[in-house]
Amino acid sequence: MFFNMLNNKCKKCLFINQANVFYNYSLGFEIPSVDLLKTANKLLKSGFSKCVCFSDFKFLYLNENHQIKYSNLNPEGRNWDSSWEINFYDDIPKGIIPDLMIHSELFFHENRLVNDNQAYIRTSLPPFVLEINNEQYLMHPGVKMYRDGIVIIYFQFDGKWNGIDDDSFLSSIINMNQRYFDKIWIDAKLQMLDGEAVLENSFEDVFSIGGNCLDGRKIRKLKQKMRDDSMKVLTESLEKEGCTFSFDNHREWVLHQIAGTEENESWESTIEICRSIYSNVISCMLVPQYKTNKNKSYSYLWHGRPSVSLLRFDKQPQDKNVLLKNFSEALAKLLNRADVSENKNSLPPDLRKFNDYCLHANRSIYLWTWLRGENESDDIWDDKNTSSRILENQARVEQVEYHNMSISRACSWANNPPSEQHLFISYTTLAETENNVHHSSISGEVSDTLSYLIKSFGTEGLIASAKEMARFRMDELKYRSDSARNSSNYWLTFVFGLVGVTSFAEFAVNPLILNKWSGINKVIAPFISFGISSVLVLAISAIIWYLTKRKH
């Protein structure tokens, strides 16, 4: 019995050796249409990106003279070939080749997965480093901006350990948003732009009581002084010498500790502050197709969940049945993002139909558990196709995140529309949801996954009430429009009636009066004619109104 208990306990343990994580954040901006070309130019001119790729296999980049240049990827291969071949021109800077290769691999997989994809741009952003107890976590950020104002920001992390247990992996990697770090190193330009965006409307909550904002000349001066002091701290902190980090042995970055956090242990030193900085920067970079105001940044709705790939772990099996039999409890713990006791059959359905890995997902995480083939290396990166397989999974995640955010943003707009245009777009999106999800992918497996996850996330339950609210608001707009039109019609009827009465008095009644009473004053005669004409017209109108009312 003792050995049986020991075996059962071992089955619950999962010791991970290699993993890849994409911390994905989907943002829905209040911009119905984004000018992708101008946004790409702005990203390059700001210095945040060295190259920006478009969904139609074109890209812009900065050459050695910091001039913006245009080029094509020109992939050679058919849609269902196992690979494409891309030859880069000699004048393309060597430093952007790694980014172009990653973007090309994502294009390859999206071309095989996505049906009628929305136009977008994709680029890499300056990396950042999380530091705790002399341990560093190197993060590779990237962003995908769709034309309809939906943005996906991701932080990629590759980890390698000598058998980290599932509890430590859960607390330190999956739940990294709850983990406090000693230092966070981010590019100085990003911090400065984020500071300018945040300080523009900052300290409003400081001067408020019970939700009511206090105002006055002294309070406004005090707010401005606090903003100036904060900007001074930000500037002085970023003027200090940064720290040099090497990423992937092909480029070095000079990063600065987050301003104001030196020798400060009371600040919220989590990865969420990085999400906020990168989101605010992207908000400042977006260029609307039709700009109607002078906003420097735009508000947004956001969701976030990690996509975790367990690449190598102890006793990694070759078959799914063995995997689920031995590690179902450990996988359930990771999916719940907490060590809670549940039934053994608590795992959601496996969304992967083939015997290469399992995909389990819920509202808080995507979990890809890889199987290990026979005679495969202990190091997953010895396989040249590992990167491509990881990016294929990320392409699937981005598709789910895009559709989920599109529906969530439409529901938000339906309940509180910023404008009539936003209301019409939200209603159209909600009305077309089922059709868009059904035709979202060339692959039936991917479409089924999207349909299941939108329901699992709880987004599907919002559609009916949001659609009804959108319909109510559109009826309200129609009522207001009809009321305004009726009011206009009343005034037009009055004006044209007045013109008709005047014409009738001048050409019909006035000659009769002058003919019958030749001695009447010619100054008073027109007024008498107008009065008689008015009485006749009002009488005829009353008779018509009465007869019309009787018929109804």
Side-chain angles (χ1 to χ4, degrees), residues 11-28:
K11 287 182 180 179
K12 298 179 182 179
C13 296
L14 183 67
F15 295 95
I16 301 160
N17 300 314
Q18 287 181 296
N20 175 273
V21 184
F22 279 86
Y23 298 95
N24 293 293
Y25 302 93
S26 54
L27 289 70

PDB file of all heavy atoms in Angstrom, residues 11-28:
ATOM      1  N   LYS A  11       2.875  10.392  -9.681  1.00  0.00           N
ATOM      2  CA  LYS A  11       2.128  10.680 -10.896  1.00  0.00           C
ATOM      3  C   LYS A  11       1.677  12.132 -10.943  1.00  0.00           C
ATOM      4  O   LYS A  11       1.497  12.711 -11.992  1.00  0.00           O
ATOM      5  CB  LYS A  11       0.912   9.759 -10.994  1.00  0.00           C
ATOM      6  CG  LYS A  11       1.249   8.318 -11.340  1.00  0.00           C
ATOM      7  CD  LYS A  11      -0.020   7.498 -11.463  1.00  0.00           C
ATOM      8  CE  LYS A  11       0.312   6.049 -11.799  1.00  0.00           C
ATOM      9  NZ  LYS A  11      -0.909   5.230 -11.900  1.00  0.00           N
ATOM     10  N   LYS A  12       1.482  12.724  -9.769  1.00  0.00           N
ATOM     11  CA  LYS A  12       1.001  14.095  -9.717  1.00  0.00           C
ATOM     12  C   LYS A  12       2.115  15.110  -9.979  1.00  0.00           C
ATOM     13  O   LYS A  12       1.841  16.275 -10.226  1.00  0.00           O
ATOM     14  CB  LYS A  12       0.369  14.377  -8.351  1.00  0.00           C
ATOM     15  CG  LYS A  12      -0.843  13.499  -8.050  1.00  0.00           C
ATOM     16  CD  LYS A  12      -1.397  13.820  -6.676  1.00  0.00           C
ATOM     17  CE  LYS A  12      -2.582  12.917  -6.351  1.00  0.00           C
ATOM     18  NZ  LYS A  12      -3.135  13.200  -5.005  1.00  0.00           N
ATOM     19  N   CYS A  13       3.356  14.695  -9.907  1.00  0.00           N
ATOM     20  CA  CYS A  13       4.474  15.623 -10.053  1.00  0.00           C
ATOM     21  C   CYS A  13       4.872  15.750 -11.510  1.00  0.00           C
ATOM     22  O   CYS A  13       4.888  14.775 -12.255  1.00  0.00           O
ATOM     23  CB  CYS A  13       5.672  15.149  -9.225  1.00  0.00           C
ATOM     24  SG  CYS A  13       5.355  15.120  -7.444  1.00  0.00           S
ATOM     25  N   LEU A  14       5.220  16.959 -11.886  1.00  0.00           N
ATOM     26  CA  LEU A  14       5.668  17.249 -13.240  1.00  0.00           C
ATOM     27  C   LEU A  14       6.929  18.089 -13.130  1.00  0.00           C
ATOM     28  O   LEU A  14       6.902  19.201 -12.596  1.00  0.00           O
ATOM     29  CB  LEU A  14       4.577  17.992 -14.014  1.00  0.00           C
ATOM     30  CG  LEU A  14       4.859  18.313 -15.475  1.00  0.00           C
ATOM     31  CD1 LEU A  14       4.936  17.023 -16.300  1.00  0.00           C
ATOM     32  CD2 LEU A  14       3.766  19.214 -16.046  1.00  0.00           C
ATOM     33  N   PHE A  15       8.055  17.543 -13.595  1.00  0.00           N
ATOM     34  CA  PHE A  15       9.332  18.243 -13.521  1.00  0.00           C
ATOM     35  C   PHE A  15       9.700  18.723 -14.925  1.00  0.00           C
ATOM     36  O   PHE A  15       9.956  17.917 -15.820  1.00  0.00           O
ATOM     37  CB  PHE A  15      10.413  17.329 -12.934  1.00  0.00           C
ATOM     38  CG  PHE A  15      10.157  16.950 -11.504  1.00  0.00           C
ATOM     39  CD1 PHE A  15       9.517  15.757 -11.189  1.00  0.00           C
ATOM     40  CD2 PHE A  15      10.529  17.789 -10.466  1.00  0.00           C
ATOM     41  CE1 PHE A  15       9.263  15.403  -9.876  1.00  0.00           C
ATOM     42  CE2 PHE A  15      10.278  17.447  -9.141  1.00  0.00           C
ATOM     43  CZ  PHE A  15       9.649  16.254  -8.846  1.00  0.00           C
ATOM     44  N   ILE A  16       9.709  20.020 -15.097  1.00  0.00           N
ATOM     45  CA  ILE A  16       9.838  20.640 -16.423  1.00  0.00           C
ATOM     46  C   ILE A  16      11.291  21.038 -16.654  1.00  0.00           C
ATOM     47  O   ILE A  16      11.946  21.631 -15.777  1.00  0.00           O
ATOM     48  CB  ILE A  16       8.912  21.869 -16.519  1.00  0.00           C
ATOM     49  CG1 ILE A  16       7.470  21.427 -16.275  1.00  0.00           C
ATOM     50  CG2 ILE A  16       9.044  22.561 -17.869  1.00  0.00           C
ATOM     51  CD1 ILE A  16       6.549  22.538 -15.879  1.00  0.00           C
ATOM     52  N   ASN A  17      11.781  20.725 -17.848  1.00  0.00           N
ATOM     53  CA  ASN A  17      13.162  21.059 -18.207  1.00  0.00           C
ATOM     54  C   ASN A  17      13.248  22.206 -19.214  1.00  0.00           C
ATOM     55  O   ASN A  17      14.161  23.020 -19.148  1.00  0.00           O
ATOM     56  CB  ASN A  17      13.863  19.823 -18.789  1.00  0.00           C
ATOM     57  CG  ASN A  17      13.911  18.679 -17.798  1.00  0.00           C
ATOM     58  OD1 ASN A  17      14.246  18.879 -16.630  1.00  0.00           O
ATOM     59  ND2 ASN A  17      13.552  17.481 -18.241  1.00  0.00           N
ATOM     60  N   GLN A  18      12.320  22.264 -20.148  1.00  0.00           N
ATOM     61  CA  GLN A  18      12.311  23.330 -21.142  1.00  0.00           C
ATOM     62  C   GLN A  18      10.873  23.755 -21.417  1.00  0.00           C
ATOM     63  O   GLN A  18       9.971  22.913 -21.490  1.00  0.00           O
ATOM     64  CB  GLN A  18      12.964  22.863 -22.456  1.00  0.00           C
ATOM     65  CG  GLN A  18      14.476  22.742 -22.378  1.00  0.00           C
ATOM     66  CD  GLN A  18      15.075  22.295 -23.708  1.00  0.00           C
ATOM     67  OE1 GLN A  18      14.812  21.194 -24.156  1.00  0.00           O
ATOM     68  NE2 GLN A  18      15.868  23.146 -24.322  1.00  0.00           N
ATOM     69  N   ALA A  19      10.688  25.060 -21.531  1.00  0.00           N
ATOM     70  CA  ALA A  19       9.355  25.598 -21.795  1.00  0.00           C
ATOM     71  C   ALA A  19       9.484  26.893 -22.575  1.00  0.00           C
ATOM     72  O   ALA A  19      10.516  27.575 -22.536  1.00  0.00           O
ATOM     73  CB  ALA A  19       8.586  25.828 -20.497  1.00  0.00           C
ATOM     74  N   ASN A  20       8.425  27.207 -23.300  1.00  0.00           N
ATOM     75  CA  ASN A  20       8.326  28.473 -24.022  1.00  0.00           C
ATOM     76  C   ASN A  20       6.999  29.124 -23.654  1.00  0.00           C
ATOM     77  O   ASN A  20       5.967  28.455 -23.604  1.00  0.00           O
ATOM     78  CB  ASN A  20       8.406  28.250 -25.536  1.00  0.00           C
ATOM     79  CG  ASN A  20       8.189  29.530 -26.323  1.00  0.00           C
ATOM     80  OD1 ASN A  20       7.059  29.889 -26.626  1.00  0.00           O
ATOM     81  ND2 ASN A  20       9.279  30.200 -26.664  1.00  0.00           N
ATOM     82  N   VAL A  21       7.037  30.423 -23.382  1.00  0.00           N
ATOM     83  CA  VAL A  21       5.831  31.126 -22.948  1.00  0.00           C
ATOM     84  C   VAL A  21       5.668  32.398 -23.765  1.00  0.00           C
ATOM     85  O   VAL A  21       6.620  33.165 -23.940  1.00  0.00           O
ATOM     86  CB  VAL A  21       5.884  31.476 -21.444  1.00  0.00           C
ATOM     87  CG1 VAL A  21       4.570  32.131 -21.009  1.00  0.00           C
ATOM     88  CG2 VAL A  21       6.171  30.251 -20.609  1.00  0.00           C
ATOM     89  N   PHE A  22       4.455  32.601 -24.278  1.00  0.00           N
ATOM     90  CA  PHE A  22       4.052  33.870 -24.862  1.00  0.00           C
ATOM     91  C   PHE A  22       3.029  34.502 -23.913  1.00  0.00           C
ATOM     92  O   PHE A  22       1.932  33.952 -23.739  1.00  0.00           O
ATOM     93  CB  PHE A  22       3.414  33.682 -26.241  1.00  0.00           C
ATOM     94  CG  PHE A  22       4.388  33.511 -27.370  1.00  0.00           C
ATOM     95  CD1 PHE A  22       4.895  32.257 -27.670  1.00  0.00           C
ATOM     96  CD2 PHE A  22       4.794  34.601 -28.129  1.00  0.00           C
ATOM     97  CE1 PHE A  22       5.788  32.090 -28.710  1.00  0.00           C
ATOM     98  CE2 PHE A  22       5.687  34.441 -29.172  1.00  0.00           C
ATOM     99  CZ  PHE A  22       6.186  33.185 -29.464  1.00  0.00           C
ATOM    100  N   TYR A  23       3.416  35.614 -23.289  1.00  0.00           N
ATOM    101  CA  TYR A  23       2.463  36.355 -22.472  1.00  0.00           C
ATOM    102  C   TYR A  23       1.692  37.285 -23.406  1.00  0.00           C
ATOM    103  O   TYR A  23       2.176  38.347 -23.801  1.00  0.00           O
ATOM    104  CB  TYR A  23       3.190  37.137 -21.381  1.00  0.00           C
ATOM    105  CG  TYR A  23       3.940  36.254 -20.408  1.00  0.00           C
ATOM    106  CD1 TYR A  23       5.303  35.978 -20.588  1.00  0.00           C
ATOM    107  CD2 TYR A  23       3.300  35.673 -19.322  1.00  0.00           C
ATOM    108  CE1 TYR A  23       6.002  35.159 -19.709  1.00  0.00           C
ATOM    109  CE2 TYR A  23       3.984  34.851 -18.429  1.00  0.00           C
ATOM    110  CZ  TYR A  23       5.328  34.600 -18.632  1.00  0.00           C
ATOM    111  OH  TYR A  23       6.021  33.777 -17.756  1.00  0.00           O
ATOM    112  N   ASN A  24       0.485  36.860 -23.792  1.00  0.00           N
ATOM    113  CA  ASN A  24      -0.303  37.578 -24.797  1.00  0.00           C
ATOM    114  C   ASN A  24      -1.270  38.554 -24.146  1.00  0.00           C
ATOM    115  O   ASN A  24      -1.947  38.201 -23.173  1.00  0.00           O
ATOM    116  CB  ASN A  24      -1.090  36.581 -25.661  1.00  0.00           C
ATOM    117  CG  ASN A  24      -0.190  35.726 -26.529  1.00  0.00           C
ATOM    118  OD1 ASN A  24       0.453  36.206 -27.445  1.00  0.00           O
ATOM    119  ND2 ASN A  24      -0.139  34.431 -26.228  1.00  0.00           N
ATOM    120  N   TYR A  25      -1.342  39.740 -24.723  1.00  0.00           N
ATOM    121  CA  TYR A  25      -2.301  40.755 -24.295  1.00  0.00           C
ATOM    122  C   TYR A  25      -2.997  41.294 -25.539  1.00  0.00           C
ATOM    123  O   TYR A  25      -2.338  41.825 -26.435  1.00  0.00           O
ATOM    124  CB  TYR A  25      -1.611  41.898 -23.551  1.00  0.00           C
ATOM    125  CG  TYR A  25      -0.835  41.459 -22.330  1.00  0.00           C
ATOM    126  CD1 TYR A  25       0.527  41.161 -22.416  1.00  0.00           C
ATOM    127  CD2 TYR A  25      -1.454  41.332 -21.089  1.00  0.00           C
ATOM    128  CE1 TYR A  25       1.245  40.747 -21.308  1.00  0.00           C
ATOM    129  CE2 TYR A  25      -0.743  40.922 -19.972  1.00  0.00           C
ATOM    130  CZ  TYR A  25       0.609  40.634 -20.084  1.00  0.00           C
ATOM    131  OH  TYR A  25       1.313  40.226 -18.996  1.00  0.00           O
ATOM    132  N   SER A  26      -4.315  41.142 -25.598  1.00  0.00           N
ATOM    133  CA  SER A  26      -5.082  41.670 -26.722  1.00  0.00           C
ATOM    134  C   SER A  26      -5.744  42.976 -26.303  1.00  0.00           C
ATOM    135  O   SER A  26      -6.363  43.057 -25.240  1.00  0.00           O
ATOM    136  CB  SER A  26      -6.130  40.657 -27.181  1.00  0.00           C
ATOM    137  OG  SER A  26      -6.944  40.243 -26.113  1.00  0.00           O
ATOM    138  N   LEU A  27      -5.611  43.996 -27.140  1.00  0.00           N
ATOM    139  CA  LEU A  27      -6.109  45.329 -26.853  1.00  0.00           C
ATOM    140  C   LEU A  27      -7.104  45.740 -27.931  1.00  0.00           C
ATOM    141  O   LEU A  27      -6.832  45.579 -29.124  1.00  0.00           O
ATOM    142  CB  LEU A  27      -4.970  46.361 -26.808  1.00  0.00           C
ATOM    143  CG  LEU A  27      -3.990  46.334 -25.641  1.00  0.00           C
ATOM    144  CD1 LEU A  27      -3.072  45.124 -25.688  1.00  0.00           C
ATOM    145  CD2 LEU A  27      -3.148  47.605 -25.630  1.00  0.00           C
ATOM    146  N   GLY A  28      -8.246  46.257 -27.507  1.00  0.00           N
ATOM    147  CA  GLY A  28      -9.241  46.764 -28.440  1.00  0.00           C
ATOM    148  C   GLY A  28      -9.352  48.271 -28.304  1.00  0.00           C
ATOM    149  O   GLY A  28      -9.935  48.783 -27.350  1.00  0.00           O
TER     150      GLY A  28
END
